[in-house]
Amino acid sequence: MVTAAYLTKYFSRITIIESDDVLNDTLMKATPNEILDYRCGLENPGSIGRSGIAQIYQAHILEGEGFKIFSELFPRLYDKLFNEYNVRTYSLKNECRFTVNGTLLNQNLTEDMKWLGVDRFTLEIVLRKELCLQFGNQIEWKCKSRVTQLLVDQSLNMVKGVKYRCKENTGSSSFDMYGDFIIDCSGRNSSSTKWLKESLNLTVPTVQIHFGCGYVTYVGERYRTGNPSLDLMPVVFCTANTPDRNVGCYAVPIRTIKPTDTNSLGILSTNAVYCVNSEFSPNDSYE
Ligand SMILES: Cc1cc2nc3c(=O)[nH]c(=O)nc-3n(C[C@H](O)[C@H](O)[C@H](O)COP(=O)(O)OP(=O)(O)OC[C@H]3O[C@@H](n4cnc5c(N)ncnc54)[C@H](O)[C@@H]3O)c2cc1C
């Protein structure tokens, strides 16, 4: 979506081909509370049309620069998140405890950075609504449609378009779409390298890294522990430090809420315990 928003500066017509049903009413017309309910595990992503991103309920860190890019492309985004979704930003210098191997990292930052305290699921939905509102006349979505192949001109060594198929009619014929500029935004399971090899005999250099990391993630309300170095810090990170300490944990805020109890910090967080080398099996949906 960020790519599409950026390209509106340079292209008059942009088409997004997306295999999930991301414009369905359940996602697009959901109220802020309904979105939070879905995120809290009352619906699994597949049942509401969003199966394409297995990590959608996993906590995501949005680096400060990423937040700046979002704000430039979507000037109303932050106000919307703040006013309608009870999302706020946090100071990485003063409201975060980030420790690596027992060393506090963020206390001597020369420049403060903002942490956007929102879950990826909510952010994605709000971003999509903004994209449609802001650039609806330039961007066309083809949802429930899967790109299956590249259309190439072998004599020019050039990709000229893509073949895509409507997911609902499994037996249906595929469609061809040509474009002046084609970007693969299909994520970590992209087939582009395979397709480039098949169609143009082009070998894209790749490096395969074997890495195991297991998470257990859940959403919960933060309560006072009596330890000010935790209670005063809405954002808490303690990284794994293999091989000495193989378990890390974090608590990142996704909403401010009315405290339900005098001990509540009034913060709803995504909390995770993780382990490098997969000692805990991945379990994104555990709540
Ligand atoms: C457990 C986990 C934790 C992570 N934590 C972080 C983090 O903290 N911070 C961070 O910055 N990153 C994190 N990442 C990485 C981050 O999720 C990815 O880098 C990011 O999602 C990539 O964005 P994307 O838009 O390129 O692809 P995706 O978000 O994967 O989106 C790809 C889209 O393409 C669609 N699609 C796929 N194939 C096709 C096709 N053939 N035709 C049509 N549509 C298709 C999918 O439905 C999907 O909508 C994490 C990843 C995992 C797995």
Side-chain angles (χ1 to χ4, degrees):
M1 286 186 281
V2 170
T3 307
Y6 188 75
L7 289 179
T8 54
K9 293 183 199 176
Y10 304 100
F11 293 89
S12 56
R13 188 117 203 97
I14 292 150
T15 306
I16 301 176
I17 305 178
E18 166 56 60
S19 61
D20 279 350
D21 186 14
V22 290
L23 296 187
N24 72 39
D25 284 356
T26 310
L27 294 172
M28 292 298 274
K29 292 191 177 159
T31 63
N33 279 341
E34 283 169 340
I35 291 175
L36 185 59
D37 282 348
Y38 299 153
R39 170 58 195 90
C40 286
L42 294 186
E43 290 290 351
N44 78 55
S47 69
I48 46 176
R50 196 64 178 120
S51 55
I53 304 182
Q55 72 273 29
I56 196 157
Y57 281 174
Q58 187 55 248
H60 274 70
I61 301 163
L62 177 64
E63 307 348 346
E65 197 61 29
F67 182 43
K68 264 200 239 160
I69 293 171
F70 274 166
S71 307
E72 278 162 25
L73 290 170
F74 304 100
R76 291 179 306 218
L77 180 71
Y78 180 68
D79 281 350
K80 225 167 227 183
L81 286 169
F82 183 83
N83 293 324
E84 295 172 30
Y85 292 81
N86 299 325
V87 165
R88 53 163 283 220
T89 53
Y90 299 86
S91 151
L92 271 191
K93 205 169 172 178
N94 306 314
E95 294 178 288
C96 169
R97 182 177 169 79
F98 194 164
T99 52
V100 175
N101 202 18
T103 306
L104 190 58
L105 278 195
N106 58 307
Q107 59 188 350
N108 296 324
L109 279 176
T110 47
E111 192 187 327
D112 198 6
M113 283 179 264
K114 292 283 178 212
W115 174 282
L116 181 62
V118 65
D119 56 293
R120 177 184 165 148
F121 180 68
T122 304
L123 182 63
E124 185 190 287
I125 294 170
V126 182
L127 209 60
R128 196 171 293 112
K129 287 184 185 177
E130 266 314 285
L131 187 80
C132 293
L133 274 176
Q134 256 179 258
F135 304 108
N137 55 346
Q138 266 175 285
I139 297 179
E140 182 196 4
W141 286 82
K142 291 201 179 296
C143 294
K144 297 182 271 177
S145 300
R146 194 160 183 82
V147 174
T148 53
Q149 210 180 312
L150 302 178
L151 298 167
V152 301
D153 183 329
Q154 284 181 331
S155 61
L156 295 173
N157 219 19
M158 198 184 202
V159 177
K160 304 190 85 176
V162 293
K163 257 191 196 308
Y164 69 93
R165 199 180 282 278
C166 185
K167 273 171 69 181
E168 274 182 334
N169 310 325
T170 32
S172 73
S173 51
S174 55
F175 301 93
D176 293 352
M177 177 172 287
Y178 292 88
D180 296 324
F181 191 60
I182 299 153
I183 302 190
D184 172 6
C185 294
S186 60
R188 64 198 164 121
N189 296 322
S190 163
S191 300
S192 278
T193 48
K194 187 183 89 186
W195 290 336
L196 287 169
K197 179 74 187 162
E198 280 169 7
S199 318
L200 295 172
N201 199 23
L202 189 71
T203 304
V204 180
T206 53
V207 178
Q208 196 169 16
I209 300 173
H210 294 278
F211 171 75
C213 185
Y215 285 79
V216 172
T217 310
Y218 62 95
V219 173
E221 185 175 352
R222 284 267 309 265
Y223 279 78
R224 249 172 267 284
T225 62
N227 176 351
S229 72
L230 285 178
D231 294 348
L232 296 174
M233 300 297 158
V235 187
V236 179
F237 274 96
C238 179
T239 63
N241 181 41
T242 48
D244 305 324
R245 219 178 69 97
N246 201 16
V247 182
C249 61
Y250 52 78
V252 292
I254 60 165
R255 297 283 197 285
T256 54
I257 52 168
K258 275 204 187 98
T260 52
D261 172 309
T262 46
N263 273 325
S264 166
L265 294 175
I267 295 172
L268 212 55
S269 282
T270 299
N271 307 309
V273 178
Y274 72 97
C275 174
V276 182
N277 292 337
S278 320
E279 277 176 24
F280 299 124
S281 56
N283 195 347
D284 292 1
S285 59
Y286 182 85
E287 299 294 334

